[in-house]
Coordinates of all heavy atoms in Angstrom, one line a residue:
T1 N 2.2 0.0 15.0 CA 0.8 0.5 14.7 C 0.6 0.5 13.2 O -0.5 0.9 12.8 CB 0.6 1.8 15.3 OG1 1.5 2.8 14.8 CG2 0.7 1.7 16.8
T2 N 1.6 0.3 12.4 CA 1.4 0.4 10.9 C 1.3 -1.0 10.3 O 1.8 -2.0 10.9 CB 2.5 1.2 10.3 OG1 3.8 0.5 10.5 CG2 2.6 2.6 10.9
E3 N 0.8 -1.0 9.1 CA 0.7 -2.3 8.3 C 1.6 -2.2 7.1 O 1.8 -1.2 6.5 CB -0.8 -2.5 7.9 CG -1.8 -2.8 9.0 CD -3.1 -3.1 8.4 OE1 -3.2 -3.3 7.2 OE2 -4.1 -3.1 9.1
E4 N 2.1 -3.4 6.8 CA 2.9 -3.5 5.5 C 2.5 -4.8 4.8 O 2.3 -5.8 5.5 CB 4.4 -3.4 5.8 CG 4.9 -4.5 6.7 CD 6.4 -4.5 6.8 OE1 7.1 -4.0 5.9 OE2 6.9 -5.1 7.8
Q5 N 2.4 -4.7 3.5 CA 2.1 -5.9 2.7 C 3.3 -6.6 2.3 O 4.2 -6.1 1.7 CB 1.3 -5.5 1.5 CG -0.1 -4.9 1.8 CD -1.0 -4.8 0.6 OE1 -0.5 -4.9 -0.6 NE2 -2.3 -4.7 0.8
V6 N 3.4 -7.9 2.7 CA 4.5 -8.8 2.4 C 4.0 -10.1 1.9 O 2.9 -10.5 2.1 CB 5.4 -9.0 3.7 CG1 6.0 -7.7 4.2 CG2 4.6 -9.8 4.7
P7 N 4.8 -10.8 1.1 CA 4.4 -12.2 0.6 C 4.3 -13.1 1.8 O 5.0 -13.0 2.8 CB 5.6 -12.6 -0.3 CG 6.3 -11.4 -0.6 CD 6.1 -10.4 0.5
G8 N 3.4 -14.0 1.8 CA 3.2 -15.0 2.8 C 4.4 -15.8 3.2 O 4.7 -16.1 4.3
S9 N 5.2 -16.0 2.2 CA 6.5 -16.8 2.4 C 7.5 -16.0 3.2 O 8.5 -16.6 3.6 CB 7.1 -17.2 1.0 OG 7.3 -16.1 0.2
A10 N 7.3 -14.7 3.3 CA 8.3 -13.9 4.1 C 8.0 -13.8 5.5 O 8.7 -13.2 6.3 CB 8.3 -12.5 3.5
L11 N 6.8 -14.4 6.0 CA 6.4 -14.3 7.4 C 7.3 -15.2 8.2 O 7.8 -16.2 7.8 CB 5.0 -14.7 7.5 CG 3.9 -13.8 6.9 CD1 2.5 -14.4 7.0 CD2 4.0 -12.4 7.6
R12 N 7.6 -14.8 9.4 CA 8.4 -15.5 10.4 C 7.6 -15.8 11.6 O 6.6 -15.1 11.9 CB 9.7 -14.8 10.7 CG 10.6 -14.6 9.5 CD 11.1 -15.9 9.0 NE 12.0 -15.8 7.9 CZ 11.6 -16.0 6.6 NH1 10.3 -16.3 6.4 NH2 12.4 -15.9 5.6
V13 N 8.0 -16.8 12.4 CA 7.3 -17.1 13.7 C 7.3 -15.9 14.6 O 8.3 -15.2 14.8 CB 8.0 -18.3 14.4 CG1 7.3 -18.6 15.7 CG2 7.9 -19.5 13.5
G14 N 6.1 -15.6 15.1 CA 5.9 -14.4 16.0 C 5.4 -13.2 15.3 O 4.9 -12.2 16.0
D15 N 5.4 -13.1 13.9 CA 4.8 -12.0 13.2 C 3.3 -11.9 13.5 O 2.6 -12.9 13.6 CB 5.1 -12.1 11.7 CG 6.5 -11.8 11.3 OD1 7.3 -11.3 12.2 OD2 6.9 -12.1 10.2
L16 N 2.8 -10.6 13.5 CA 1.4 -10.4 13.7 C 0.9 -10.0 12.3 O 1.4 -9.1 11.7 CB 1.1 -9.3 14.7 CG 1.6 -9.6 16.2 CD1 1.3 -8.4 17.1 CD2 0.8 -10.9 16.7
V17 N -0.3 -10.6 11.9 CA -0.9 -10.2 10.6 C -2.3 -9.9 10.8 O -3.0 -10.5 11.7 CB -0.7 -11.3 9.6 CG1 0.8 -11.5 9.2 CG2 -1.3 -12.6 10.0
V18 N -2.9 -9.0 10.0 CA -4.3 -8.7 10.1 C -5.0 -9.4 9.0 O -4.6 -9.4 7.9 CB -4.5 -7.1 10.0 CG1 -5.9 -6.8 10.0 CG2 -3.7 -6.4 11.1
C19 N -6.2 -10.0 9.3 CA -7.0 -10.6 8.4 C -8.4 -10.2 8.5 O -9.0 -10.2 9.6 CB -6.9 -12.2 8.5 SG -5.3 -12.9 8.3
E20 N -9.0 -9.7 7.4 CA -10.4 -9.3 7.5 C -11.2 -10.1 6.5 O -10.7 -11.0 5.8 CB -10.5 -7.8 7.1 CG -9.8 -6.9 8.1 CD -9.9 -5.4 7.8 OE1 -9.8 -5.1 6.6 OE2 -10.1 -4.6 8.7
A21 N -12.6 -9.8 6.5 CA -13.5 -10.6 5.6 C -13.0 -10.6 4.2 O -12.6 -9.6 3.6 CB -14.9 -10.0 5.7
G22 N -12.9 -11.8 3.6 CA -12.4 -12.0 2.2 C -11.0 -12.4 2.1 O -10.5 -12.8 1.1
D23 N -10.2 -12.2 3.2 CA -8.7 -12.4 3.2 C -8.5 -13.9 3.4 O -9.2 -14.6 4.1 CB -8.0 -11.7 4.3 CG -8.0 -10.2 4.0 OD1 -8.3 -9.8 2.9 OD2 -7.7 -9.4 5.0
V24 N -7.4 -14.4 2.7 CA -6.9 -15.7 2.9 C -5.9 -15.6 4.0 O -5.0 -14.8 4.0 CB -6.3 -16.3 1.7 CG1 -5.6 -17.7 2.0 CG2 -7.4 -16.5 0.6
I25 N -6.0 -16.5 5.1 CA -5.0 -16.4 6.2 C -3.7 -16.9 5.6 O -3.6 -18.0 5.1 CB -5.5 -17.3 7.3 CG1 -6.8 -16.7 7.9 CG2 -4.5 -17.4 8.4 CD1 -7.5 -17.6 8.9
P26 N -2.6 -16.1 5.8 CA -1.4 -16.4 5.1 C -0.5 -17.5 5.7 O 0.4 -18.0 5.1 CB -0.6 -15.1 5.1 CG -1.1 -14.4 6.3 CD -2.6 -14.8 6.5
G27 N -0.8 -17.9 6.9 CA 0.0 -18.9 7.6 C -0.6 -19.4 8.9 O -1.6 -18.8 9.4
D28 N -0.1 -20.5 9.4 CA -0.7 -21.1 10.6 C -0.4 -20.1 11.8 O 0.7 -19.5 11.8 CB 0.0 -22.4 10.9 CG -0.4 -23.5 10.0 OD1 -1.2 -23.2 9.0 OD2 0.1 -24.6 10.1
G29 N -1.3 -20.0 12.7 CA -1.1 -19.1 13.8 C -2.3 -19.2 14.8 O -3.2 -20.0 14.7
D30 N -2.2 -18.3 15.8 CA -3.3 -18.2 16.8 C -3.8 -16.8 16.8 O -3.1 -15.8 16.6 CB -2.7 -18.5 18.2 CG -2.2 -19.9 18.4 OD1 -2.8 -20.8 17.8 OD2 -1.3 -20.1 19.2
V31 N -5.2 -16.7 16.9 CA -5.8 -15.4 17.0 C -5.5 -14.8 18.3 O -5.8 -15.4 19.4 CB -7.3 -15.6 16.8 CG1 -8.0 -14.2 17.0 CG2 -7.7 -16.2 15.4
V32 N -5.0 -13.6 18.3 CA -4.6 -12.9 19.5 C -5.5 -11.7 19.8 O -5.5 -11.1 20.8 CB -3.1 -12.5 19.5 CG1 -2.2 -13.7 19.5 CG2 -2.8 -11.5 18.4
E33 N -6.3 -11.4 18.8 CA -7.2 -10.2 18.9 C -8.4 -10.4 18.0 O -8.2 -10.7 16.8 CB -6.5 -8.9 18.6 CG -7.4 -7.7 18.8 CD -6.7 -6.4 18.4 OE1 -5.5 -6.3 18.7 OE2 -7.3 -5.6 17.6

C-alpha cells in the first residue's frame, strides 16, 4: 500500500507503478487500474 521512488531502470517485470497527470510513464506495461 506504500509508494517508493525508484529509477525507471530499476523496474522489473511485474512491478506496479503509479502514474498521474504530468508523469512520464517509466516503462512498457498494461494499465491494471
Side-chain angles (χ1 to χ4, degrees):
T1 58
T2 62
E3 292 182 14
E4 59 174 338
Q5 292 192 343
V6 298
S9 58
L11 294 174
R12 296 293 178 264
V13 175
D15 284 351
L16 297 178
V17 295
V18 177
C19 298
E20 295 182 321
D23 291 345
V24 173
I25 297 174
D28 292 1
D30 292 329
V31 176
V32 295
E33 180 184 317

